[in-house]
Amino acid sequence: MMIKAHNINVSIKGHVILDNASLSIPKGKMTGLIGPNGAGKSTLLRSIMGFVDITSGIIKLDDIELSNLSIKDRAKKISYAAQGAPVHWPLDVNHIIALGRIPHLDPWQKISDLDREIIRDAMIKTDTLHLADRLTTSLSGGEKACVMLARAMVSQADYLCADEPIASLDPYHQLQVMNILQNLAKEGHGVLIILHDLGLAKRYCDELVLMHQGKICATGTPNDVLTEENLDKTYHIKISRWHENGDHFIAPWKTSGHPDHKRPDHKI
Amino acid sequence: MKISPTLLISLLGLLLLMVTFLSLFIGTTPIPAQEILSALGGMADKNIEIIVLELRLPRVLIGLLAGASLGLSGAALQGLLRNPLADPGIIGVSSSAGLGAVISIYFGMSSLFPLSIQIMSMLGALGATLILSMISSRDSSVLTLILAGIGISSLATAAISLTMNFAHSPMSLQDMVMWLLGSLENRTMTDVMLAGPFIFLGWFIMRGIGQGLDASSLGSDTAQSLGINIKHLRMKVIIGSAISVGATVSVCGAIGFVGLVVPHIIRSLVGHAPSRILVPSALLGAILLSLADLITRIPIGHGQLRLGVVTAFIGSPLFLYIIYKTRGAMR
């Protein structure tokens, strides 16, 4: 039971963004996608979501090829939390979260009591019930991130892809969001998350995928992936490690050498 | 103050009926209200029937259809482009339709074939839509769409200026200016029959877009992740509004500000969800344009007020006031 992206290639205007990248999102596990800026993490996630036209490669959910599914059927299988959680109108939180039910509704259909129950359940799990009547424009970054997760959860898809959901959040909300995602994985969902915090990646993820220059450099458990050699080669950093009460921590400590010349950003 | 969309729609519906009747009632020949009703039922004096059914009714019908098209298209485009400043003018449809009309006046086509202005302006609107959909199907960014619209609009405006620049006579120049200022005067059932089907077709294409527009407020990617086909949604809104607004401009000239202002008024009453403002915007657009047309019937000075001038003078101060009042909420 998993999503498998196999040998994905993406080129945009002659620039190779993804170079034979392969990735699995198993159900019941939290998979972290890490790598320096410009490594192709977002493009790989967006390819899985079907937002990017891939040049070659195949993305399968169990035995089904995702490109054969309609946009609507795909929406029922995989939900998405966008980077920065944009909301373009001042809508109230209730309404935003209810939008997550759209994959299950016809264009004219109103939400039912069952939908309302699902929405309430997601709001309890994300601790957003008290925000129900607030406008999204009045929310803090952390509150908005939780609302967006609730919105993604109510579609009841088996898989969730989250693009940097904890970027620019305070430590409390970083932990809160990671806990919500971890609980989703424990409930049996497959979660893919793009992260920059290596410490949280190590603590929360079951699997890590390390990307560099459009390629997958390493895949495996956090301990296998977060080695001195891998991090030096990709991030050009030295890490510090320590043990406390049987737990093992890492933190980026200092730079080593120069980062690679970045390719131009493709999301113009 | 927020009211429920259903209540608002019923209130606007009632207001629409009242304004419609008022438009039929007010005119140079005083006709009692009962006579108007019996004329509508085909049971009045022949002369009164001609005044009501052939002179006043077409004008009222075109005002309602045009206002509703402008209001609906404005609401739909603002939802699609996620931009409160969008209106049928911004995608270049209004000015391209205007260009078609001005060209037809320049070549004196209307003396050869009376409906040439209408047909040429619909062709202009169609041309703008084709260019816009060609550009927007290659790129999916909303900003590209807005910029393309501004480009098309500027080009059409430049071409209008060029045509006026070389106008053969002051008479033909005056015709062009008058047409661009917009009017519902002297419209006949032929105009209704010509524009009506296209206006209804545009509305029909835009049916059921509310859910997709709501989802789009979370960005195109998230909307797609919710099962919305963004390309289809975009085509529906652009083609639907281009056809209905193109047909509108073709029978009553360029009328600004209705499409821009109406959705803002509705938002202040029912909130910002794009799906909730579509139908109320169509109703309020019809009401406002009919009211503006009533104002043009007031004799002022030695000329007649043009409809586009009235809508701009009602619309822009109202727009500034709404922007001032809601400046905190939009961010």
Side-chain angles (χ1 to χ4, degrees):
Chain A
M1 299 288 268
M2 62 170 71
I3 291 177
K4 261 191 161 162
H6 187 65
N7 283 349
I8 306 299
N9 285 288
V10 171
S11 296
I12 295 172
K13 288 179 185 151
H15 292 282
V16 177
I17 312 284
L18 291 181
D19 185 356
N20 272 328
S22 299
L23 167 94
S24 307
I25 314 171
K27 273 180 90 170
K29 282 189 177 171
M30 183 125 139
T31 305
L33 187 51
I34 58 171
N37 291 334
K41 307 180 295 293
S42 275
T43 306
L44 181 54
L45 184 141
R46 290 162 53 80
S47 308
I48 294 168
M49 288 309 304
F51 303 153
V52 179
D53 291 330
I54 58 176
T55 319
S56 69
I58 192 163
I59 303 165
K60 276 185 158 182
L61 197 169
D62 299 333
D63 293 328
I64 319 161
E65 208 174 308
L66 279 182
S67 56
N68 290 338
L69 289 180
S70 69
I71 293 178
K72 195 139 190 165
D73 284 337
R74 215 166 158 140
K76 288 176 191 161
K77 310 272 186 206
I78 315 172
S79 59
Y80 172 69
Q83 190 173 355
V87 185
H88 294 274
W89 298 108
L91 302 178
D92 63 55
V93 167
N94 257 330
H95 191 174
I96 290 281
I97 298 179
L99 292 178
R101 291 301 296 165
I102 287 180
H104 303 277
L105 300 174
D106 292 326
W108 299 101
Q109 206 179 337
K110 293 252 186 290
I111 55 168
S112 67
D113 285 344
L114 175 67
D115 293 322
R116 270 190 205 94
E117 220 165 279
I118 294 165
I119 290 165
R120 198 184 148 77
D121 187 50
M123 290 174 86
I124 293 171
K125 282 177 181 163
T126 51
D127 190 24
T128 49
L129 261 185
H130 62 290
L131 304 173
D133 295 321
R134 293 261 300 273
L135 288 180
T136 42
T137 35
S138 75
L139 300 180
S140 73
E143 288 167 338
K144 208 162 129 190
C146 292
V147 167
M148 286 305 152
L149 279 185
R151 199 269 306 142
M153 282 158 70
V154 297
S155 71
Q156 297 188 311
D158 287 338
Y159 299 89
L160 168 67
C161 293
D163 194 348
E164 294 199 33
I166 61 167
S168 74
L169 298 191
D170 63 34
Y172 177 91
H173 285 102
Q174 289 194 352
L175 291 172
Q176 190 186 10
V177 166
M178 292 308 283
N179 286 333
I180 292 169
L181 292 173
Q182 192 175 45
N183 287 334
L184 271 179
K186 280 181 184 158
E187 283 173 14
H189 295 82
V191 178
L192 179 71
I193 172 178
I194 294 181
L195 273 174
H196 276 303
D197 188 315
L198 299 177
L200 291 179
K202 182 174 178 341
R203 255 186 79 190
Y204 280 93
C205 294
D206 302 299
E207 300 277 336
L208 282 184
V209 176
L210 174 61
M211 286 190 79
H212 184 47
Q213 295 184 335
K215 294 190 180 78
I216 305 291
C217 287
T219 302
T221 64
N223 282 333
D224 292 341
V225 172
L226 298 173
T227 62
E228 267 79 0
E229 196 199 340
N230 279 343
L231 297 176
D232 189 12
K233 200 171 68 186
T234 56
Y235 283 97
H236 299 284
I237 55 165
K238 301 278 183 218
I239 52 168
S240 176
R241 294 178 180 275
W242 68 97
H243 293 267
E244 205 173 288
N245 304 330
D247 281 329
H248 172 200
F249 302 90
I250 66 165
W253 209 248
K254 56 184 176 189
T255 56
S256 64
H258 292 288
D260 314 287
H261 291 293
K262 260 194 283 166
R263 286 158 304 149
D265 192 357
H266 57 277
K267 279 186 293 184
I268 296 169
Chain B
M1 179 193 64
K2 294 276 179 276
I3 59 177
S4 92
T6 329
L7 178 64
L8 182 67
I9 289 172
S10 337
L11 287 176
L12 288 174
L14 208 64
L15 207 56
L16 187 69
L17 280 179
M18 286 160 59
V19 172
T20 307
F21 188 75
L22 205 60
S23 301
L24 285 170
F25 184 64
I26 293 176
T28 36
T29 319
I31 300 172
Q34 280 159 323
E35 293 279 304
I36 287 179
L37 286 179
S38 46
L40 287 175
M43 295 177 298
D45 180 75
K46 196 79 193 150
N47 287 337
I48 290 180
E49 222 174 270
I50 289 176
I51 293 175
V52 173
L53 294 186
E54 286 174 31
L55 297 179
R56 293 188 187 173
L57 189 62
R59 181 177 189 155
V60 171
L61 285 180
I62 288 182
L64 294 178
L65 291 175
S69 293
L70 293 170
L72 177 65
S73 303
L77 285 166
Q78 290 181 10
L80 177 77
L81 302 176
R82 303 191 289 263
N83 188 323
L85 296 176
D87 84 326
I90 211 174
I91 58 167
V93 168
S94 304
S95 39
S96 306
L99 175 63
V102 167
I103 288 176
S104 117
I105 297 171
Y106 178 86
F107 288 109
M109 294 181 200
S110 43
S111 57
L112 303 172
F113 181 53
L115 288 175
S116 64
I117 292 186
Q118 282 76 354
I119 290 167
M120 281 295 287
S121 49
M122 267 198 244
L123 286 177
L126 196 68
T129 315
L130 285 180
I131 297 174
L132 199 68
S133 52
M134 259 159 54
I135 294 175
S136 75
S137 63
R138 289 192 182 184
D139 193 290
S140 56
S141 138
V142 165
L143 190 62
T144 310
L145 202 58
I146 295 177
L147 293 176
I150 292 174
I152 293 170
S153 182
S154 315
L155 191 63
T157 311
I160 289 175
S161 308
L162 182 73
T163 316
M164 290 172 129
N165 201 158
F166 289 111
H168 302 296
S169 65
M171 277 301 287
S172 117
L173 185 61
Q174 196 186 358
D175 276 355
M176 292 177 190
V177 174
M178 281 304 156
W179 196 87
L180 286 174
L181 292 178
S183 172
L184 293 180
E185 264 178 274
N186 305 327
R187 294 298 177 262
T188 63
M189 272 299 165
T190 319
D191 292 306
V192 178
M193 297 314 283
L194 181 76
F198 288 98
I199 287 176
F200 284 123
L201 177 66
W203 295 359
F204 180 74
I205 291 171
M206 285 191 273
R207 78 202 183 283
I209 55 172
Q211 190 186 59
L213 293 181
D214 278 0
S216 296
S217 40
L218 301 174
S220 306
D221 284 349
T222 305
Q224 189 179 332
S225 83
L226 289 170
I228 303 296
N229 190 326
I230 291 293
K231 276 184 191 154
H232 287 184
L233 178 72
R234 188 166 289 166
M235 286 297 144
K236 278 183 184 176
V237 174
I238 291 176
I239 294 177
S241 54
I243 291 178
S244 62
V245 172
T248 294
V249 176
S250 79
V251 286
C252 50
I255 294 166
F257 282 98
V258 175
L260 181 64
V261 173
V262 162
H264 285 268
I265 301 174
I266 299 294
R267 264 186 217 112
S268 66
L269 296 171
V270 293
H272 285 76
S275 63
R276 283 185 202 156
I277 64 169
L278 292 171
V279 176
S281 291
L283 293 172
L284 187 61
I287 293 169
L288 277 190
L289 199 64
S290 304
L291 283 177
D293 182 47
L294 280 178
I295 293 175
T296 65
R297 299 182 205 178
I298 302 169
I300 295 173
H302 44 260
Q304 181 133 42
L305 265 173
R306 307 299 289 196
L307 190 57
V309 181
V310 177
T311 56
F313 265 105
I314 301 176
S316 32
L318 204 59
F319 184 65
L320 285 174
Y321 172 71
I322 295 164
I323 296 294
Y324 173 76
K325 238 181 72 181
T326 57
R327 67 197 185 284
M330 292 301 305
R331 206 161 287 175

